[in-house]
Amino acid sequence: MQADRHEPICRIVDKSLVGALSDQEQQSLREHLIGCAPCRAYLDDCSRAIAGLDGFRFDINPGLERKVLASLALRAQQLEARHIHRKRLWWSGAAALVLTVAGSFAASQLGDLTATIFHIDLSQVQFGLMAFWIAPSACFLLLFPLLPLLMNGKTDQEGSSL
């Protein structure tokens, strides 16, 4: 059967098997089937396949629906817990940013006073602030976005999730 010439008729045959033909399509199909053996064979093959499936059925485990619904409820709870966890993590990150900026600003403002009180060169105080306060704070702050990834890796290794 040539696919290009018979393809529209095959689609009409498919529609006829589900009872979705218009009157015009029914008339067109009848006229075509009178003179086209390949399309009649296609209709017969499809009709036999549908008839063969007519007796097909299977039994469903009665507890399956309950198990599926319980599984969906559990997954919804897990997603909600993950959402809450991420929201807390975001707020923690924002708080860390504010504290880092405020602490760094306060430390830099007090650096001049510290240098004067302890008779230390201002550049040494600034270096100390940079080395012991600002750089570590910035490193921890930059690690905050990586915490979810690190925690997901940990939960994947343990076989459970948050």
Side-chain angles (χ1 to χ4, degrees):
M1 176 175 3
Q2 294 176 350
D4 58 328
R5 197 176 92 198
H6 297 281
E7 186 177 340
I9 297 299
C10 289
R11 277 186 275 172
I12 293 173
V13 167
D14 294 341
K15 283 175 67 177
S16 75
L17 293 171
V18 294
L21 283 184
S22 67
D23 292 337
Q24 181 184 4
E25 288 174 322
Q26 286 176 352
Q27 180 62 31
S28 168
L29 179 61
R30 270 189 243 119
E31 290 173 1
H32 182 81
L33 290 176
I34 291 171
C36 184
C39 288
R40 278 195 310 270
Y42 179 76
L43 176 62
D44 290 340
D45 291 343
C46 290
S47 296
R48 275 196 307 265
I50 290 173
L53 292 174
D54 191 31
F56 180 74
R57 66 184 195 107
F58 55 92
D59 294 324
I60 297 176
N61 182 352
L64 182 63
E65 180 181 2
R66 186 174 17 91
K67 289 179 183 177
V68 168
L69 291 176
S71 177
L72 289 173
L74 177 64
R75 183 66 180 148
Q77 289 172 351
Q78 289 172 342
L79 290 175
E80 182 64 24
R82 186 177 293 160
H83 174 71
I84 290 170
H85 177 72
R86 285 185 181 167
K87 195 173 186 180
R88 285 182 189 158
L89 193 60
W90 188 88
W91 280 109
S92 297
L97 175 65
V98 168
L99 291 174
T100 298
V101 170
S104 298
F105 179 75
S108 68
Q109 293 299 319
L110 294 175
D112 191 25
L113 179 64
T114 304
T116 305
I117 292 173
F118 293 108
H119 305 290
I120 304 172
D121 186 28
L122 182 60
S123 62
Q124 289 177 332
V125 172
Q126 289 174 341
F127 179 76
L129 286 174
M130 187 64 119
F132 295 108
W133 174 263
I134 297 172
S137 297
C139 288
F140 283 120
L141 184 64
L142 292 174
L143 286 175
F144 251 90
L146 296 177
L147 281 178
L149 295 174
L150 295 173
M151 293 185 76
N152 283 342
K154 179 184 174 190
T155 58
D156 288 344
Q157 290 172 355
E158 293 173 354
S160 64
S161 62
L162 296 175

